[in-house]
Amino acid sequence: MADMARGVAEQRVYVSSLDPGMGKTTSLIVFLRQLVGPQDHRDVAVLVCLSRKAEVERIVRDVGLEEVDFAVLTSDEEINALSSTPPSEARVLFTTQQMLLSRLRGGRFETCPTFHYQGLPREVRVWDEAMEPGQVVMLSSDDIGGLLRFLRRVSADLADTMDGLMDRLRKADIGSLFQFPKLDHEVLQRAVALLGNDWQAAHVEALAELSGQRVRVCSGWGSQRVAVLARTLLPEDLAPVLVLDASARVRETYKLWAKTRGGLTFLPSATKDYSPLTIHVARKGAGKSSWGQNGPALAKTVAEMRSQRLGQRCLIVHHKADKHLDASNLISDAIIPDALHNTSFLHWGMHQATNEYADVPVVILAGTFNLPPSQYLGLAHASLGLPMDKTLPEAVVQRVALGEHGHAIVQAVGRGVTRGCSDGKCLSGEVYIIASAGSGIEEALSDWFPGATVKRWYPADRPVLTGKVAEAAAYIKQRLKEDPTASILFQDVMGHIGCSNRSNFNRTIRRHDLFRLWLADQGLVEVKLPGIRGKANAFQVELPLFAAAGVELPQDLQGSKI
């Protein structure tokens, strides 16, 4: 920040990835107070972009500047009224990231006077929380179908074009390139104006973004197909800019950006020691679709987790409610009444940039924050700076997906008491996480929270394996202890438990509900080894997503710049 104030910082994106609670925002506050005082920096101005309007209010209060020294620019006039100083005359301008993006509209920072001070771009620029590598535009065949009735009132020709486009997109092969037709921009603008704040306006705006573009086709629900486009979001001349993102160290997007696009530097950091933290992991599918199908059972699991620490305050992070699902209500109904008075709820999307729960020792993540596969693909393209006609290795997209899980989990866990720091260590706390076995999350937790103790969590009333099922499990476990990468043939297990009939083995062992649950807990899957007749013929540890972290980009994608 001092280098930007002196005009000697290189034109780069500088990322500070200090963990939650280690003083990034405090450093910014102290810097702002110092900057507006001395006369030798009276011509230097600062732009602070925050993720939410509530954060603007909080930091304005915490900094405590004189009203003449700062201004606020958001979409909320009540928040703007925190200062009567016009933005162009204030040394420090607080705004939201969305306000900056909407005013720039793809243009250059130096030509957008809204954020200038006395006619010139502000020298010090700070971006609090995550900076995305680009904008991912997605539109599904169902989204297009949902617009047809409205578009027909605006333009019959456009509606007919969209009808044919929906049909062609739905029939497109997953992973293929798809050419969007060039659409009448004036008609689309008229449609957006008529819709106002209606949710369909976002889909019409997406149509405008995709007009004339080549996109990549991703899978959706059932026969649904999703068109994906990644494009540049922020202008290059916004740099130099400082990004304060506590979870940047676990996100693959920044790493790919630095390696391939360039222009991004990680500032020296100090990862917190999480040895006072214990993380309990229940291996269950708990995305929003799983909650929709199995909500009461998952709520019971969360309630049992809550019962482990009844005398302590607890924060439960859950999926945002919609007309089909309200996870917080299901959980509240399952938790014993005596525990509700010291239990707080926070939905995904509000799980970062708040200190309200900094004294809460128990955090439960009632599922994981999953983005659509199309979003991960778009983020990978944006991070690499590659157009959609470049085919990316699946391992790269998986790395991005796991990094986004890490981003959400580090931020959510960091809302609780573990955001505190003493002698380089987090404060003592307990975290419970429900995550699917194949996500790679459990295996990555030790990297995301260095020093933490990670334990498998089981419900108290879980039935135990008995008889031949228990013998089969014990044999497989022993083989894996000798060689964790071993492939254990069905016929070897059959020989150990004295079962000579394959059909009987399939019926009584492989299809046994508790045995299948045990396999999932161990991260085991059935595989087909070459050279042996039949379909699946062995048990093997599933390759987790994080194991792809060492996969290199193909040579033609390394060092690419767009």
Side-chain angles (χ1 to χ4, degrees):
M1 289 187 285
D3 284 349
M4 285 190 281
R6 292 195 297 263
V8 297
E10 293 184 29
Q11 192 173 353
R12 304 180 67 81
V13 175
Y14 295 92
V15 179
S16 174
S17 186
L18 291 169
D19 283 32
M22 292 189 73
K24 297 182 301 301
T25 303
T26 301
S27 298
L28 171 62
I29 289 170
V30 172
F31 176 83
L32 294 176
R33 290 172 181 168
Q34 293 298 313
L35 183 71
V36 298
Q39 291 298 306
D40 55 347
H41 288 104
R42 62 182 179 274
D43 294 328
V44 175
V46 183
L47 175 67
V48 181
C49 301
L50 297 127
S51 58
R52 295 187 293 123
K53 289 179 284 189
E55 284 304 294
V56 173
E57 288 187 282
R58 183 177 68 84
I59 198 168
V60 166
R61 181 183 66 249
D62 291 348
V63 176
L65 297 177
E66 296 293 332
E67 189 174 332
V68 69
D69 290 323
F70 77 95
V72 178
L73 179 62
T74 71
S75 59
D76 189 321
E77 290 303 322
E78 186 175 341
I79 297 177
N80 295 345
L82 291 170
S83 172
S84 59
T85 305
S88 62
E89 299 175 17
R91 293 279 302 283
V92 180
L93 175 60
F94 298 100
T95 189
T96 60
Q97 295 159 5
Q98 189 57 44
M99 177 62 72
L100 179 70
L101 295 173
S102 65
R103 294 298 179 92
L104 288 176
R105 295 186 178 276
R108 294 179 60 79
F109 181 69
E110 65 180 11
T111 59
C112 188
T114 304
F115 305 102
H116 292 180
Y117 172 63
Q118 295 183 347
L120 294 173
R122 295 170 183 271
E123 294 85 356
V124 182
R125 303 148 197 179
V126 180
W127 185 280
D128 195 39
E129 300 297 343
M131 177 178 278
E132 300 297 340
Q135 181 186 19
V136 180
V137 183
M138 299 179 293
L139 193 70
S140 73
S141 51
D142 288 358
D143 294 335
I144 297 172
L147 291 172
L148 290 178
R149 177 178 294 182
F150 165 74
L151 290 178
R152 205 165 294 283
R153 300 202 309 269
V154 179
S155 167
D157 289 341
L158 177 61
D160 289 342
T161 300
M162 291 299 98
D163 197 6
L165 178 66
M166 176 185 65
D167 187 57
R168 288 195 297 113
L169 179 58
R170 185 181 290 128
K171 293 177 180 177
D173 293 331
I174 295 171
S176 65
L177 287 171
F178 186 89
Q179 180 67 51
F180 255 71
K182 187 71 175 176
L183 304 174
D184 190 318
H185 187 66
E186 290 185 4
V187 173
L188 293 176
Q189 280 188 318
R190 190 164 72 250
V192 170
L194 288 172
L195 285 167
N197 292 324
D198 189 280
W199 61 270
Q200 289 181 310
H203 292 159
V204 177
E205 290 173 348
L207 273 178
E209 296 284 355
L210 297 174
S211 173
Q213 301 288 333
R214 294 186 80 191
V215 302
R216 186 71 66 175
V217 178
C218 283
S219 60
W221 292 103
S223 63
Q224 183 192 64
R225 295 291 181 266
V226 183
V228 186
L229 175 70
R231 69 180 188 86
T232 302
L233 186 64
L234 294 166
E236 288 186 0
D237 74 327
L238 183 61
V241 58
L242 170 64
V243 178
L244 304 175
D245 186 354
S247 51
R249 65 178 176 84
V250 305
R251 296 186 76 188
E252 197 65 27
T253 52
Y254 290 111
K255 298 170 188 175
L256 293 175
W257 183 345
K259 179 178 180 179
T260 309
R261 285 169 54 180
L264 184 146
T265 297
F266 282 95
L267 295 177
S269 189
T271 303
K272 192 185 297 184
D273 178 356
Y274 285 92
S275 55
L277 172 65
T278 300
I279 305 175
H280 310 264
V281 184
R283 295 173 67 119
K284 292 186 177 185
K288 201 157 189 178
S289 59
S290 295
W291 269 90
Q293 298 168 11
N294 201 27
L298 287 169
K300 182 182 177 183
T301 297
V302 175
E304 187 171 342
M305 289 174 165
R306 179 68 186 99
S307 69
Q308 307 299 303
R309 297 289 186 273
L310 284 178
Q312 296 176 295
R313 287 190 63 196
C314 175
L315 171 65
I316 299 177
V317 183
H318 56 87
H319 297 292
K320 186 177 181 180
D322 58 29
K323 63 181 180 180
H324 303 295
L325 170 71
D326 191 331
S328 63
N329 276 350
L330 287 173
I331 295 168
S332 296
D333 290 342
I335 292 176
I336 62 173
D338 287 348
L340 283 175
H341 75 280
N342 62 349
T343 302
S344 301
F345 293 86
L346 192 68
H347 66 73
W348 290 110
M350 299 295 288
H351 63 284
Q352 55 190 32
T354 177
N355 298 328
E356 185 177 349
Y357 310 99
D359 60 342
V360 176
V362 181
V363 175
I364 299 175
L365 307 188
T368 50
F369 185 52
N370 301 326
L371 298 172
S374 48
Q375 181 79 15
Y376 296 130
L377 175 67
L379 284 173
H381 276 275
S383 302
L384 292 163
L386 294 174
M388 302 309 294
D389 60 5
K390 288 283 188 179
T391 302
L392 300 184
E394 182 61 26
V396 174
V397 182
Q398 289 179 342
R399 284 162 54 184
V400 169
L402 187 61
E404 294 307 291
H405 280 306
H407 165 53
I409 290 171
V410 167
Q411 291 286 350
V413 171
R415 295 315 101 207
V417 73
T418 55
R419 75 177 289 102
C421 190
S422 177
D423 295 326
K425 294 183 178 181
C426 74
L427 301 186
S428 179
E430 303 280 333
V431 171
Y432 295 82
I433 298 176
I434 306 178
S436 65
S439 65
I441 289 172
E442 183 181 20
E443 296 83 355
L445 286 169
S446 294
D447 292 328
W448 297 340
F449 301 96
T453 299
V454 180
K455 296 180 177 181
R456 187 73 56 78
W457 185 89
Y458 299 99
D461 60 352
R462 177 188 175 115
V464 297
L465 302 180
T466 58
K468 294 294 185 181
V469 177
E471 290 181 32
Y475 173 74
I476 295 170
K477 196 168 185 177
Q478 181 59 38
R479 288 281 303 273
L480 289 173
K481 185 177 180 181
E482 297 167 359
D483 179 5
T485 64
S487 299
I488 299 127
L489 292 170
F490 292 170
Q491 62 191 38
D492 292 343
V493 181
M494 291 169 61
H496 179 78
I497 65 174
C499 177
S500 58
N501 186 291
R502 181 63 173 268
S503 296
N504 188 40
F505 175 74
N506 291 342
R507 184 179 68 256
T508 61
I509 305 298
R510 288 180 61 201
R511 294 172 192 157
H512 193 285
D513 288 342
L514 288 182
F515 183 74
R516 293 170 70 88
L517 182 61
W518 180 84
L519 288 176
D521 287 342
Q522 303 300 315
L524 289 162
V525 292
E526 296 184 348
V527 296
K528 167 71 171 70
L529 297 183
I532 303 177
R533 293 179 60 187
K535 297 180 181 179
N537 51 42
F539 302 108
Q540 187 174 354
V541 174
E542 184 178 25
L543 179 67
L545 294 178
F546 84 101
V551 177
E552 289 291 327
L553 289 173
Q555 198 64 37
D556 64 329
L557 298 185
Q558 294 186 20
S560 300
K561 291 184 180 180
I562 300 299

